[in-house]
Amino acid sequence: MVHSRGPKGLGFTSLAALAAALSALPVAAQQAGAAAADAAEDADKSEMVVTGSRIVRDGSTAPVPTTVVTIEDIVQRNPINIADYVNQLPAIGQGQSPRATTQFVNANGGANQINARGLGINRTLVLLDGRRVVGSGLLPAVDVNMLPQNLVKRVDVVTGGASAAYGSDAVAGVVNFILDTDFKGLKGQINYGQTDRNDGRVISGDLAFGTKFAGGRGRLLLSGNYAKSDSIRMSEGLRDWFQPGLRTLNNPNWTATNGETGQIVRTDVGLVSTPGGVIVGGPLSGINFLPGGAIGQFQFGNITQGSFQSGGSVEPASIRAALLPTLEYYSIYGRLSYDVTDNITAIFEANYGGNSTTNWSAYYNRNGTGGSGALLIQRDNPFIPVTVQQAMDQAGVTSFRMNRLFYDMINGPGQNPGDAGYNRRQSRLLFALEGKFGDSGKWRAYYQRGRSDVSYTRDNNIVVSRFNQAVDVTGNPAVGGIAGVAVGAPVCRSTLTNPTNGCIPMNVFGEGSLGAQSIAWVTGAADGFRTRQDLDIKLDVYSIDAQYSPFSTWAGPVSIAAGFEYREESFVATSDAQSQARVWFVGNFQPGGAGYNVKEFFGEALVPLLKDSAVGDLELNAAVRRTDYSTSGAVTTWKVGGAYRIGDLRLRATRSRDIRAPNLNDLYAPQSTFVNQFQDRSLPNSPTVPFVTLSGGNPQLTPEIADTWTVGGAYQPSWAPGLTATVDWYNIKIKDAIFGVGGQLLLDLCYGFNRPASPSACQSIIPVAGSTGLAGATLLTGGINAQNVEVEGIDYELSYRTNLSNISAKLPGALSFRVLASQRLKDQTRLPGDTTPPDLGTPTSLKWRGFGSATYSVGPSRTTITARYLGPGVVSNLKPTERNGLPAEWNKLPAVWYWELSQNVDVKIGGKTVTLFAVVENLFDQDPPPTPNSGTSFGTSAVYDLLGRSYRLGLRFKI
């Protein structure tokens, strides 16, 4: 284990002292805190239009389970990004965020995307003021970074099927960001943070302005925000929990009947490669090439499986990877509205934003314990260090095989091997009309154009054919050699027969020896080559809807809503010429383009049946949506629900049919090539070997179908004003779920590993001709409609706020707290006939998750303590004696608590109120538990906090 924490930052003591200093600033009269609490209680009683239905109603009567997060809740914790708050809610699973983008860059490029119920970012519909927003890539998932966050007044999180109300993708729920369109004045914020190890620095700022004109008939809103964060490389910011050699290996003694565990866990596992190269096989085996021509000795382990070994030298697979990627983003927003008449308002909105990030991609590793993947080095290579040349001559060796990690294949300082870049420019235009009619009618119509221009790049990627030429080096012969090159000087062997091929010989002996000119030629940088794909993604939406109460029953007005929406989604993909010729090590993006359109009609009705009766109040709610996809035809979604109130208790239940239609990525993603490590099921003990994966879309996909139940209730006792308790049970079953047949699953299906064998899967595996096993084979991966998914659980919420003077006249200030918990009862994802165990209890599907916060307000001071709970679990639900089963002592995950302390203080500066704040996140520096696995990882899960204690300081103002 690595014990060094690295240099400390501000330190807990200094931050605590700062928080205490903020608390001690001159305060106003204690009545100010009481007045604030009174205002908060009054605000709770006002009407709030919540998400979950097209029909307006008070927030306390939401027809489906809904968590409402107000801006007041958020600013007490002062997160860099609102998504950081939302993603910690128990009903939200592990979303895509910069903190989840560890190891290697992913296609989301540091975006903040929300994953309701843990069912995937593609099954969570994110809205801005009830309207769709263009996605951050071919997946329709919305990047919250691009929203005008400083104008958000609340976030509605609907954790139940809502497709009948809002359309496709709302299988797991809806997250609706509601803007304060009536804001007036000027407000802003500056926020700086870093970890306790003096790394991971982030700075953000935002500014918003609102005003009225034309006698109040016109309103103008402007806002902008910017954030930039530094990367954290594990090698530069070692955490004390990191165990470089922690990994699972196949138990070489295991059989299906001997009762031994299928996997062994070792803490001395490393790659059978080194950054400078190591000779494998033959009498010189173990010679390790060090920088500057030096020679060392590599110790081979007693267990070798594929690219990894145990019991010898430890070359960690992840030591140079990133805990956090570099990220920079910005967005600007403008809104202009004008009351054309007393009943009609015209609205124009415009957004523009950008996002840029870089991180590791797949580094080049020439490894082959059997020799086939290792570099072949001939004796006539003049780059071989003299001492090794002499050893070869003494042993009578004319060639050797060498494994090498090409971390140094970079064209500039500070770059990453296989440097993966993601750049996006996103825009949105909205033209809308809203109005009223009759005594209760409301309508709105709008057109929206969203566009994302995305580019993926891979710098320091190698052209495989050039690499093979550059490493095959010989001395320039006296006869038939290259003119102008000294006899015996290094030249590419291929140049002797093709003098104009431009090859520059590469010295592969010792890290840092490759040579800048040779790197530039091998990576194509010298010729301006660059692995790149550009996507132009468009979303056009035409929508009109209305709400009206045409008549009343004995129990009150009947409300109906109806509307029509037409949506077009399309993309065009272009790529570099080298990718199209498939010459790169990874990437090889292919051009493409396609699109589809959707026509939707929907209706909803709210019918009260009892009102103020002796047995309580009762209402029914029903919705239906008919959707016609140009790709897969028509489908109907619906929802039926009811709500019953008796005294202080309100009960609710809904049953819905929901869908997720295949998106642009599912249907039409252009092909791309990557190199990954998987377990070769064709060989004994399933060694881990490299494969080439070729991925792309499947235009034959059809919509997923989900059936959802929710049953629950809310209790707001009249004897305890300000107290609310809710409990909601849910069950979601998805059939024909779309899933990507990943490389390992494809291999498992072909060879019947832990599931019935599927001969059709073998057709997607193309072995290398003449090879033993599947090392280097090509895997054709893509999406199919095949999985069955079911999740079930119970959500709990308890909130309370009061003036302490209500308890005792001597107590100053106000107290508020909120506790949310989610209990997972079932989480099963299977193919028909599959025997894979459920995910329940594993890191991404823990049985218990909790979140609680308490705020004490007195005068201008507000102190908030927040706790986040991740319950105990297991790494895997496989039995220990199965092939991939873990030893019991390594298969336990402890419960983890994360604590956060936040202090806000209002001070007067120049007659204006400015709020100073300080936050300590992960207050007690809780380490993530080890989660050993067979992949390339840090030996834990991104569900936990990998960065450790961190601090934020800043200020807010509003004038």
Side-chain angles (χ1 to χ4, degrees), residues 620-633:
L620 295 180
N621 176 252
V624 65
R625 177 179 290 254
R626 182 67 171 173
T627 305
D628 187 6
Y629 291 91
S630 61
T631 52
S632 55

mmCIF file of all heavy atoms in Angstrom, residues 620-633:
data_model
loop_
_atom_site.group_PDB
_atom_site.id
_atom_site.type_symbol
_atom_site.label_atom_id
_atom_site.label_comp_id
_atom_site.label_asym_id
_atom_site.label_seq_id
_atom_site.Cartn_x
_atom_site.Cartn_y
_atom_site.Cartn_z
ATOM 1 N N LEU A 620 -58.739 11.074 -9.437
ATOM 2 C CA LEU A 620 -58.121 10.167 -10.390
ATOM 3 C C LEU A 620 -57.373 10.973 -11.437
ATOM 4 O O LEU A 620 -57.816 12.056 -11.852
ATOM 5 C CB LEU A 620 -59.180 9.283 -11.068
ATOM 6 C CG LEU A 620 -59.931 8.301 -10.182
ATOM 7 C CD1 LEU A 620 -60.931 7.498 -11.009
ATOM 8 C CD2 LEU A 620 -58.975 7.362 -9.464
ATOM 9 N N ASN A 621 -56.239 10.431 -11.884
ATOM 10 C CA ASN A 621 -55.419 11.087 -12.897
ATOM 11 C C ASN A 621 -55.060 10.059 -13.954
ATOM 12 O O ASN A 621 -54.649 8.948 -13.627
ATOM 13 C CB ASN A 621 -54.151 11.666 -12.252
ATOM 14 C CG ASN A 621 -53.217 12.286 -13.275
ATOM 15 O OD1 ASN A 621 -52.163 11.735 -13.563
ATOM 16 N ND2 ASN A 621 -53.590 13.427 -13.815
ATOM 17 N N ALA A 622 -55.256 10.406 -15.214
ATOM 18 C CA ALA A 622 -54.946 9.490 -16.305
ATOM 19 C C ALA A 622 -54.326 10.253 -17.456
ATOM 20 O O ALA A 622 -54.667 11.426 -17.696
ATOM 21 C CB ALA A 622 -56.209 8.757 -16.773
ATOM 22 N N ALA A 623 -53.397 9.602 -18.153
ATOM 23 C CA ALA A 623 -52.741 10.233 -19.295
ATOM 24 C C ALA A 623 -52.467 9.169 -20.348
ATOM 25 O O ALA A 623 -52.266 7.990 -20.035
ATOM 26 C CB ALA A 623 -51.432 10.906 -18.872
ATOM 27 N N VAL A 624 -52.451 9.587 -21.605
ATOM 28 C CA VAL A 624 -52.150 8.693 -22.700
ATOM 29 C C VAL A 624 -51.369 9.463 -23.761
ATOM 30 O O VAL A 624 -51.571 10.677 -23.940
ATOM 31 C CB VAL A 624 -53.438 8.081 -23.305
ATOM 32 C CG1 VAL A 624 -54.296 9.171 -23.936
ATOM 33 C CG2 VAL A 624 -53.109 6.984 -24.317
ATOM 34 N N ARG A 625 -50.443 8.784 -24.412
ATOM 35 C CA ARG A 625 -49.627 9.410 -25.462
ATOM 36 C C ARG A 625 -49.460 8.410 -26.595
ATOM 37 O O ARG A 625 -49.081 7.255 -26.370
ATOM 38 C CB ARG A 625 -48.275 9.837 -24.909
ATOM 39 C CG ARG A 625 -47.319 10.441 -25.943
ATOM 40 C CD ARG A 625 -46.015 10.853 -25.302
ATOM 41 N NE ARG A 625 -46.179 11.992 -24.430
ATOM 42 C CZ ARG A 625 -45.784 13.244 -24.711
ATOM 43 N NH1 ARG A 625 -45.193 13.498 -25.866
ATOM 44 N NH2 ARG A 625 -45.970 14.213 -23.860
ATOM 45 N N ARG A 626 -49.739 8.859 -27.793
ATOM 46 C CA ARG A 626 -49.535 8.049 -28.989
ATOM 47 C C ARG A 626 -48.340 8.617 -29.737
ATOM 48 O O ARG A 626 -48.335 9.786 -30.127
ATOM 49 C CB ARG A 626 -50.771 8.075 -29.886
ATOM 50 C CG ARG A 626 -50.670 7.209 -31.129
ATOM 51 C CD ARG A 626 -50.611 5.730 -30.804
ATOM 52 N NE ARG A 626 -50.724 4.894 -32.014
ATOM 53 C CZ ARG A 626 -50.570 3.587 -32.027
ATOM 54 N NH1 ARG A 626 -50.317 2.934 -30.896
ATOM 55 N NH2 ARG A 626 -50.700 2.901 -33.149
ATOM 56 N N THR A 627 -47.321 7.779 -29.902
ATOM 57 C CA THR A 627 -46.066 8.232 -30.477
ATOM 58 C C THR A 627 -45.758 7.426 -31.725
ATOM 59 O O THR A 627 -45.826 6.196 -31.714
ATOM 60 C CB THR A 627 -44.919 8.068 -29.462
ATOM 61 O OG1 THR A 627 -45.260 8.747 -28.249
ATOM 62 C CG2 THR A 627 -43.634 8.638 -30.008
ATOM 63 N N ASP A 628 -45.411 8.131 -32.789
ATOM 64 C CA ASP A 628 -45.109 7.484 -34.065
ATOM 65 C C ASP A 628 -43.675 7.811 -34.454
ATOM 66 O O ASP A 628 -43.340 8.963 -34.759
ATOM 67 C CB ASP A 628 -46.079 7.970 -35.141
ATOM 68 C CG ASP A 628 -45.909 7.199 -36.453
ATOM 69 O OD1 ASP A 628 -45.123 6.232 -36.476
ATOM 70 O OD2 ASP A 628 -46.561 7.580 -37.446
ATOM 71 N N TYR A 629 -42.812 6.782 -34.435
ATOM 72 C CA TYR A 629 -41.405 6.940 -34.802
ATOM 73 C C TYR A 629 -41.222 6.564 -36.268
ATOM 74 O O TYR A 629 -41.746 5.545 -36.724
ATOM 75 C CB TYR A 629 -40.514 6.054 -33.933
ATOM 76 C CG TYR A 629 -40.439 6.492 -32.498
ATOM 77 C CD1 TYR A 629 -41.326 5.988 -31.551
ATOM 78 C CD2 TYR A 629 -39.494 7.416 -32.085
ATOM 79 C CE1 TYR A 629 -41.270 6.386 -30.231
ATOM 80 C CE2 TYR A 629 -39.427 7.832 -30.772
ATOM 81 C CZ TYR A 629 -40.314 7.314 -29.846
ATOM 82 O OH TYR A 629 -40.257 7.724 -28.548
ATOM 83 N N SER A 630 -40.469 7.377 -36.982
ATOM 84 C CA SER A 630 -40.231 7.083 -38.391
ATOM 85 C C SER A 630 -39.392 5.818 -38.566
ATOM 86 O O SER A 630 -39.388 5.221 -39.638
ATOM 87 C CB SER A 630 -39.517 8.263 -39.059
ATOM 88 O OG SER A 630 -38.249 8.503 -38.461
ATOM 89 N N THR A 631 -38.708 5.393 -37.493
ATOM 90 C CA THR A 631 -37.835 4.223 -37.584
ATOM 91 C C THR A 631 -38.537 2.925 -37.201
ATOM 92 O O THR A 631 -38.335 1.889 -37.829
ATOM 93 C CB THR A 631 -36.609 4.404 -36.673
ATOM 94 O OG1 THR A 631 -37.060 4.751 -35.347
ATOM 95 C CG2 THR A 631 -35.708 5.491 -37.206
ATOM 96 N N SER A 632 -39.371 2.967 -36.140
ATOM 97 C CA SER A 632 -39.907 1.720 -35.606
ATOM 98 C C SER A 632 -41.420 1.695 -35.499
ATOM 99 O O SER A 632 -41.979 0.733 -34.961
ATOM 100 C CB SER A 632 -39.293 1.448 -34.223
ATOM 101 O OG SER A 632 -39.512 2.549 -33.357
ATOM 102 N N GLY A 633 -42.094 2.720 -35.982
ATOM 103 C CA GLY A 633 -43.548 2.710 -35.968
ATOM 104 C C GLY A 633 -44.147 3.322 -34.718
ATOM 105 O O GLY A 633 -43.480 4.020 -33.949
#
